[in-house]
Amino acid sequence: MGLKRFEERLERLVEGSLTRPFRSSLQPVEIGRRLTREMDLQRRVGPRGLLVAPNIFSVSMSLTDVDRFSSYIDALVRELAEAAREHAEIEGYTLLGPVEVDVFESTRVKPGQVSVVAEVHEGEMPCELILPDGHRIAVGDTPVVIGRLPECDIVLNDPNVSRRHAEVFRQGRDVVVRDLGSTNGTKVNGSPVSAVVVVNGDEIFIGASRLVLEAP
């Protein structure tokens, strides 16, 4: 299921054009399959019986394939990382740090093939807002401002969203959502809020948009 969503998101991102140049060669979903297969093969029982899976991935391809993916490489890396996170969630794996994917050229890899090296690295899990299109925005001490204005950190083109609608920021170990006096208000998990501490999985509704907090 995670890989299917990965393929669908990537195709939508490039407006369906990705399947044409890669029809007879290396497909993005094949890379995703290799990546999640390495997660399955290298999972291990960690502290308290948790299944720990790799979170750092080095993807090696031929120069030919790297060139052919060049227009979409940032999107591909982003979606591969999301596919790994989704696979971990589906399989009940624990990740000890943020997911990172890097793509490298290799003279040892033939066109149409891919090599994936997966490792477990401990690190501080990021605090992020997952946007409706799947993009992620890191949340730190500096407020992430959401609204209609182009200078907002998250711009929502929605007449029900105020110019500067709400902000999300870290306050010590907490994450806070604060409404900025918007016309139509801000909701968290369906309830109107002025300022509230949110936790992992909470849903923030602004206009017609739903944002999800992913936090350690």
Side-chain angles (χ1 to χ4, degrees):
M1 179 63 71
L3 285 178
K4 182 61 177 176
R5 288 200 294 264
F6 157 73
E7 188 175 31
E8 291 172 350
R9 284 197 309 268
L10 197 60
E11 288 184 0
R12 285 200 303 270
L13 190 63
V14 295
E15 300 177 343
S17 63
L18 190 59
T19 56
R20 291 196 293 272
F22 298 110
R23 184 169 296 146
S24 61
S25 302
L26 182 63
Q27 299 286 335
V29 74
E30 293 177 50
I31 306 172
R33 289 195 188 104
R34 284 296 305 276
L35 188 148
T36 55
R37 179 172 175 268
E38 289 300 318
M39 295 180 75
D40 294 338
L41 289 174
Q42 297 192 41
R43 66 187 181 186
R44 65 191 190 208
V45 179
R48 302 185 300 280
L50 299 174
L51 278 176
V52 176
N55 58 302
I56 303 294
F57 304 91
S58 299
V59 178
S60 296
M61 294 183 283
S62 70
L63 175 59
T64 299
D65 285 322
V66 171
D67 283 344
R68 293 168 64 246
F69 279 103
S70 60
S71 298
Y72 312 100
I73 201 72
D74 290 340
L76 178 61
V77 165
R78 185 171 60 247
E79 294 299 340
L80 283 169
E82 185 63 26
R85 282 187 287 261
E86 289 181 353
H87 187 68
E89 182 178 355
I90 291 168
E91 298 297 328
Y93 297 157
T94 296
L95 303 176
L96 298 183
V99 176
E100 296 180 16
V101 179
D102 290 304
V103 174
F104 300 95
E105 301 172 3
S106 175
T107 57
R108 298 182 179 181
V109 180
K110 297 179 180 179
Q113 298 180 348
V114 62
S115 171
V116 177
V117 176
E119 300 174 281
V120 175
H121 284 193
E122 292 190 34
E124 184 179 358
M125 296 294 286
C127 177
E128 297 176 317
L129 281 174
I130 305 175
L131 307 187
D133 62 1
H135 282 67
R136 291 167 174 262
I137 299 293
V139 178
D141 297 337
T142 302
V144 175
V145 179
I146 307 165
R148 277 203 336 269
L149 289 176
E151 56 264 32
C152 289
D153 301 293
I154 298 175
V155 179
L156 300 177
N157 187 17
D158 179 345
N160 293 312
V161 174
S162 297
R163 291 180 295 173
R164 287 173 54 88
H165 194 107
E167 61 184 11
V168 183
F169 57 94
R170 298 194 73 159
Q171 192 171 64
R173 298 183 64 86
D174 293 332
V175 179
V176 178
V177 174
R178 176 185 293 152
D179 186 81
L180 297 175
S182 66
T183 301
N184 294 306
T186 300
K187 294 182 178 180
V188 172
N189 299 327
S191 299
V193 300
S194 54
V196 67
V197 173
V198 288
V199 297
N200 182 53
D202 278 351
E203 299 177 326
I204 304 165
F205 294 90
I206 296 178
S209 296
R210 168 182 168 270
L211 294 75
V212 179
L213 179 72
E214 188 170 281

